[in-house]
Amino acid sequence: MYDVVIIGAGITGGFIARELSRYGLNVIILEKDNDIANGTTKANSAIVHAGYDAKPHSMKAKLNVEGNKMFDYICEELDVPFKRIGSHVIAFSNEEMVIINELYEKGIINKVPGLRIIDKVELLQKEPNINENVLGALYAPTAGIVGPWELAIALMENAMENGVELMLNSEVINIDKLESGYKVYTKDNEIKTRYIVNCAGVHADEIHNMVAAPKFTITPRRGQYFLLDKKAGNIVNTVVFQCPTKISKGVVVLPTVHGNLLVGPDAEDIEDKRNTETSDERLNYVKSASMRTSNKIPFNKVITSFAGSRASSDTGDFIIKEAEDAKGFIDVAGIESPGLSASPAIGKYVVELIKEIHGNLKENSKFNSTRKRIIHFMELSEEEKHEIIKRDPRYGRIICRCENITEGEIVDAIHRNAGARTVDGVKRRVRPGSGRCQGGFCQPRVIEILARELNKDITEIVKDGLNSNIAIGKTK
Ligand SMILES: Cc1cc2nc3c(=O)[nH]c(=O)nc-3n(C[C@H](O)[C@H](O)[C@H](O)COP(=O)(O)OP(=O)(O)OC[C@H]3O[C@@H](n4cnc5c(N)ncnc54)[C@H](O)[C@@H]3O)c2cc1C
């Protein structure tokens, strides 16, 4: 019998798993997909929000501000890219200046450090590419950018190192209440557990309804993006928002931790929870809206577009609590933005809830809080490069020409805890296919390496999700 089953291996499931691995508990994480971080965590703006936007005294506000403060040491412990570059919300009219003042007031109540309203002159000194008809901005020095899936992957590697089990391709299809605890059903397994933590993203309402009376519904709210080449990465130096609307924080222009430029998202309530398709119409909207921020965004340098889906709940706030009619079943639901920013604090909060239900937990004396990222060959000195090639010649073979990734790095990504099993899984861990050619050159080689290392046939290697086959047979 497990102590805790976590359903969903996104950023919240990852933080909770890692936080629980500090204690002597049997923990397993069940993920329906073939990789971790394949839901909302893989398609968002990657912003660690400062915390001025959330409604004062809400869970969102409290956990965002707390979570934001934790990013420096957590990303250092887990060796994950994070940059505290600050953010600006810009205003083009007196009405928008009023919104900026309201955001400032909210930020003060939410205890966001260092907030300032700045004038056009100061803004344009910091952000010379912003359209000149701007009037002023709200500056938040504590906002940052992070690698969201890199963080989720690092959390899972570290949680597994500390004893957590991960079961991929394991969609939870039913749950039975037992006299004490639960039985969780996937297609292939039945797992007994004392506690369940429901981190199923856009599907969290369905999981809740398997054991408890319906309390909330989750609506998927899709957002679409453009990702631009690294040549466009310095159009802005900080995260630049426009004034928020009732349903979204508006189209954002920001650099990524890897030096690309990200533009988006829009916000569109949709019906199908699995739908993350992009459309010309919505992308054109994103394009024209972002031109208001800066008319210097070089859209001829777009390398890809993508969409993500927010898990928007009808309660308007994060739902993180034990279900009233299901003891030991904890919902972590409605985790829309700023869920990524709040996720470290969500992890701690959920462990406190489990302590309240269970009583004090015994420490895991072997807990190791650190994890090292995969070596990036191109960042090594000449001496280090020679040394590593001598030990392992696979570091001397470049597979991805755009991002300069070697075979050695790809092999490491496959054989780690929670290692890559798909082409995009390799891409999320070591970046082949993230560059200008988007895998045009390296994809066949990555497929060959995956097949060889996993002892599979090439036709069994998929691009990303479960049915995303690439090769279906031999032509000759
Ligand atoms: C467009 C957009 C922009 C955003 N921008 C930001 C931002 O800049 N900053 C910020 O802080 N937040 C942002 N967010 C929000 C943030 O991305 C989410 O809050 C966060 O990723 C949610 O993580 P999660 O782990 O709760 O959900 P997910 O990452 O969706 O993970 C849920 C997991 O559960 C699995 N699952 C579902 N059902 C089952 C089942 N039955 N059995 C087993 N597994 C199951 C899924 O496959 C998935 O892997 C944004 C979101 C979107 C969509």
Side-chain angles (χ1 to χ4, degrees):
M1 179 140 176
Y2 285 91
D3 294 307
V4 187
V5 165
I6 299 169
I7 303 173
I11 193 77
T12 54
F15 261 112
I16 293 162
R18 192 232 184 191
E19 208 50 43
L20 284 172
S21 72
R22 292 177 189 274
Y23 302 94
L25 296 168
N26 284 331
V27 180
I28 187 163
I29 182 154
L30 302 178
E31 168 53 52
K32 75 174 167 63
D33 224 317
N34 55 3
D35 199 359
I36 57 177
N38 239 4
T40 308
T41 299
K42 85 167 172 193
N44 55 58
S45 309
I47 301 164
V48 176
H49 291 284
Y52 51 75
D53 190 52
K55 194 169 154 205
H57 315 298
S58 62
M59 292 288 273
K60 280 185 187 172
K62 174 181 146 54
L63 296 170
N64 181 167
V65 175
E66 256 176 58
N68 175 301
K69 287 186 195 145
M70 296 162 75
F71 267 82
D72 300 277
Y73 79 84
I74 283 173
C75 290
E76 200 177 319
E77 278 182 346
L78 297 175
D79 207 6
V80 167
F82 169 61
K83 295 178 183 168
R84 213 176 264 288
I85 58 175
S87 70
H88 291 98
V89 188
I90 55 176
F92 291 99
S93 64
N94 289 330
E95 290 78 39
E96 288 190 342
M97 283 305 291
V98 172
I99 298 178
I100 285 201
N101 273 291
E102 286 167 3
L103 287 176
Y104 174 80
E105 296 298 337
K106 265 204 281 182
I108 297 301
I109 301 173
N110 292 352
K111 299 200 170 65
V112 177
L115 280 182
R116 273 194 309 127
I117 294 180
I118 62 171
D119 64 14
K120 171 179 181 163
V121 178
E122 186 175 347
L123 175 66
L124 290 177
Q125 270 168 5
K126 288 155 91 184
E127 292 292 2
N129 291 321
I130 299 290
N131 283 341
E132 279 193 0
N133 43 359
V134 69
L135 292 186
L138 176 67
Y139 172 54
T142 55
I145 50 175
V146 70
W149 56 83
E150 281 106 324
L151 180 55
I153 289 164
L155 286 163
M156 195 59 62
E157 281 182 15
N158 186 242
M160 289 174 79
E161 158 91 20
N162 289 308
V164 171
E165 283 177 51
L166 168 69
M167 211 185 259
L168 295 173
N169 301 311
S170 298
E171 177 167 13
V172 172
I173 49 176
N174 201 6
I175 305 172
D176 274 347
K177 269 186 191 161
L178 306 176
E179 219 161 86
S180 160
Y182 296 90
K183 196 190 266 184
V184 181
Y185 297 87
T186 68
K187 198 166 120 279
D188 303 317
N189 288 292
E190 296 175 8
I191 295 161
K192 284 191 187 162
T193 179
R194 284 200 224 204
Y195 309 117
I196 295 179
V197 186
N198 168 19
C199 302
V202 288
H203 299 283
D205 51 352
E206 296 153 44
I207 298 287
H208 171 97
N209 297 348
M210 289 177 189
V211 285
K215 275 276 168 181
F216 57 87
T217 54
I218 303 287
T219 306
R221 184 169 291 158
R222 186 170 59 178
Q224 305 191 21
Y225 293 91
F226 289 106
L227 183 71
L228 279 76
D229 190 84
K230 286 181 178 170
K231 282 198 172 147
N234 57 3
I235 287 285
V236 289
N237 304 306
T238 60
V239 178
V240 183
F241 296 93
Q242 292 177 15
C243 279
T245 65
K246 278 205 179 84
I247 64 163
S248 99
K249 297 187 179 72
V251 169
V252 195
V253 180
L254 73 151
T256 71
V257 282
H258 297 292
N260 297 79
L261 189 77
L262 186 62
V263 180
D266 65 333
E268 179 191 11
D269 285 346
I270 55 171
E271 278 176 16
D272 180 359
K273 290 182 173 179
R274 288 165 205 256
N275 184 343
T276 49
E277 286 168 10
T278 54
S279 69
D280 276 353
E281 187 204 338
R282 302 304 301 192
L283 284 171
N284 282 335
Y285 162 78
V286 168
K287 187 172 175 182
S288 60
S290 65
M291 299 286 269
R292 190 166 172 252
T293 298
S294 169
N295 52 19
K296 296 188 185 137
I297 300 171
F299 279 98
N300 59 349
K301 296 202 165 40
V302 167
I303 57 174
T304 190
S305 56
F306 63 91
S309 201
R310 306 158 178 94
S312 190
S313 89
D314 55 355
T315 69
D317 201 358
F318 295 160
I319 302 158
I320 309 177
K321 57 180 179 190
E322 186 181 30
E324 281 161 24
D325 45 350
K327 207 158 172 34
F329 177 93
I330 297 169
D331 285 309
V332 181
I335 311 298
E336 56 185 338
S337 188
L340 171 64
S341 320
S343 55
I346 293 176
K348 279 210 164 305
Y349 188 83
V350 169
V351 172
E352 288 311 311
L353 285 181
I354 291 179
K355 283 185 189 166
E356 272 172 32
I357 303 167
H358 178 91
N360 256 346
L361 300 171
K362 201 174 132 246
E363 304 245 324
N364 171 4
S365 57
K366 295 196 184 119
F367 177 76
N368 172 8
S369 66
T370 59
R371 164 267 182 192
K372 278 276 153 229
R373 78 172 81 173
I374 295 170
I375 289 170
H376 186 14
F377 180 79
M378 283 300 156
E379 285 169 3
L380 301 178
S381 67
E382 284 309 305
E383 213 175 46
E384 287 166 332
K385 282 180 183 163
H386 286 304
E387 201 44 50
I388 197 165
I389 292 174
K390 233 194 291 168
R391 267 191 283 131
D392 186 343
R394 292 174 295 190
Y395 282 93
R397 282 197 283 277
I398 298 282
I399 301 296
C400 167
R401 291 176 181 176
C402 302
E403 297 284 314
N404 284 321
I405 310 296
T406 62
E407 184 177 345
E409 290 158 81
I410 295 171
V411 171
D412 189 1
I414 295 169
H415 291 299
R416 288 189 161 219
N417 280 338
R421 295 288 173 273
T422 66
V423 172
D424 283 2
V426 172
K427 173 174 158 182
R428 280 191 289 277
R429 287 163 177 83
V430 272
R431 296 184 57 75
S434 308
R436 205 167 298 167
C437 92
Q438 287 288 295
F441 174 76
C442 61
Q443 193 186 80
R445 282 153 193 85
V446 172
I447 295 171
E448 278 166 12
I449 296 169
L450 273 163
R452 183 191 74 208
E453 296 298 317
L454 299 174
N455 206 10
K456 287 186 168 180
D457 191 75
I458 277 175
T459 54
E460 292 175 80
I461 304 300
V462 295
K463 181 175 183 300
D464 195 12
L466 291 170
N467 297 314
S468 57
N469 296 69
I470 307 167
I472 51 166
K474 293 199 166 75
T475 52
K476 293 190 229 171

